[in-house]
Amino acid sequence: MTSGPQPTTRLLRLAVAQYEPRIGDMRHNLDSAVRWTKAAAEAGARLAILPELATSGYAFESVEEAERLAELPGDGGATAALAEVCADAGMHVVVGVDERDPRGGRHNSAAVLGPEGVVAVYRKLHLFHDEQSWFAPGDELPVVDLPWGRLGMIVCFDIWFPEPARALALAGAEVIACPTNWVASFKRTVYDERGWCQGDYMAVARAAENGAVVACADRIGEERGLRFLGASIIVDADGWPVAGPAAADAEALLVADVDLAGVARARQRTPRNNLLGDRRGAYPVRTVDGVSAPADRAPAGASRQP
Ligand code: ACM
């Protein structure tokens, strides 16, 4: 155990790549993933984040297609090529993969790759709409110790649920990487007047409530009539955007220096308040009858005047 003053800054440069994978075009997808990871390395990033299902594309039309485009992380394909880039650059990358499960079936996964190959794989917990036809959900949230700190992952729709990001923060994650394919479907309003989509606000919420850096790598373009929203974003541990939102329909590399020493400071909101420590456990809810007449509202067991 080391003693003495803790460093007041611990900078991590990270990059989020927003581009257009193509359904079924494995060559294009591999080349794009490598090109954007190299661009992140050239920008000095030690962590690059690529979109959800970047190796395969998103809008499958059959189980057979999802299976044909699946890969086992590290066993050739885009993930092996990305590990080589990581070895050359001394960095790590998080990439969305149509993951073939050796026990059968597939997962919508985020693989962490580094100089030695596959470090960890997170399998998306909350499958969105048709994804439920192609994938099985995961059942755990890995946290990964990397040379600069602790990383957790969620994927796209997961960000609409506070629980996974909270669980990762409680497990010490300082950075939450979110490969994503935000879509316009089922929403009346897709962007606000600033060009933010709802995923951007979710990223701010997850960062602010947990005191964690949240970095979302979205894609652009359209597949089989499904439009993707771009607007990738990096949010710091105080809950403020430090890069992005990127444009809705243009490629982008967002690069930011985040101070991981700021994570502990962000969680300690005041000398007397800690975002993780002040939680109240069960949060019991009581239903109050505000409709029936006051005389009928007395709680069970309460004495009533005759
Ligand atoms: C999504 O979860 N890809 C919308």
Side-chain angles (χ1 to χ4, degrees):
M1 175 111 181
T2 54
S3 58
Q6 296 297 304
T8 50
T9 55
R10 191 155 56 87
L11 286 183
L12 167 69
R13 179 167 296 180
L14 79 168
V16 149
Q18 171 173 301
Y19 61 93
E20 184 172 0
R22 288 188 206 138
I23 183 73
D25 190 342
M26 302 298 268
R27 186 75 247 170
H28 165 83
N29 295 340
L30 185 152
D31 289 346
S32 303
V34 165
R35 180 162 62 85
W36 285 100
T37 305
K38 285 184 175 168
E42 276 157 26
R46 299 180 71 199
L47 176 69
I49 303 161
L50 309 184
E52 177 181 9
L53 294 173
T55 59
S56 57
Y58 182 82
F60 305 109
E61 54 187 6
S62 66
V63 169
E64 291 68 35
E65 184 181 50
E67 178 62 22
R68 183 164 46 77
L69 303 180
E71 65 178 80
L72 198 58
D75 184 20
T79 49
L82 288 173
E84 279 177 33
V85 179
C86 291
D88 289 343
M91 66 185 294
H92 290 82
V93 59
V94 177
V95 58
V97 185
D98 171 4
E99 182 204 355
R100 178 171 295 120
D101 186 335
R103 292 169 305 176
R106 292 153 309 284
H107 305 279
N108 180 344
S109 297
V112 187
L113 308 162
E116 316 295 333
V118 181
V119 180
V121 176
Y122 161 66
R123 295 170 167 171
K124 186 175 183 179
L125 290 176
H126 303 95
L127 297 173
F128 184 75
H129 195 49
D130 283 348
E131 293 171 28
Q132 296 171 39
S133 301
W134 326 129
F135 300 116
D139 52 17
E140 63 174 17
L141 289 152
V143 285
V144 187
D145 286 325
L146 293 177
W148 42 259
R150 189 168 277 191
L151 171 74
M153 285 151 290
I154 55 177
V155 174
C156 198
F157 191 43
D158 284 331
I159 207 166
W160 269 260
F161 299 81
E163 292 87 354
R166 173 51 52 92
L168 290 169
L170 287 169
E174 299 167 295
V175 176
I176 298 176
C178 181
T180 191
N181 279 186
W182 288 327
V183 290
S185 56
F186 309 112
K187 294 206 185 85
R188 277 174 295 137
T189 302
V190 177
Y191 302 101
D192 67 9
E193 69 287 349
R194 293 196 293 172
W196 289 44
C197 66
Q198 200 171 66
D200 293 312
Y201 289 95
M202 291 292 130
V204 166
R206 299 293 88 86
E209 72 195 2
N210 291 302
V213 175
V214 174
C216 301
D218 198 11
R219 60 161 293 169
I220 55 170
E222 197 173 308
E223 283 179 0
R224 295 176 172 149
L226 193 61
R227 187 159 66 86
F228 302 97
L229 302 185
S232 297
I233 192 167
I234 303 175
V235 186
D236 73 10
D238 282 322
W240 295 109
V242 287
D249 52 8
E251 294 184 336
L253 185 73
L254 303 181
V255 181
D257 291 319
V258 290
D259 178 10
L260 299 183
V263 166
R265 285 196 294 269
R267 289 178 180 168
Q268 194 65 41
R269 284 297 311 275
T270 77
R272 299 175 65 175
N273 291 103
N274 187 281
L275 288 174
L276 303 182
D278 287 4
R279 289 171 311 117
R280 294 293 305 275
Y283 294 97
V285 172
R286 183 167 62 85
T287 304
V288 176
D289 178 1
V291 177
S292 50
D296 299 333
R297 273 193 217 150
S303 64
R304 292 188 191 196
Q305 298 300 317

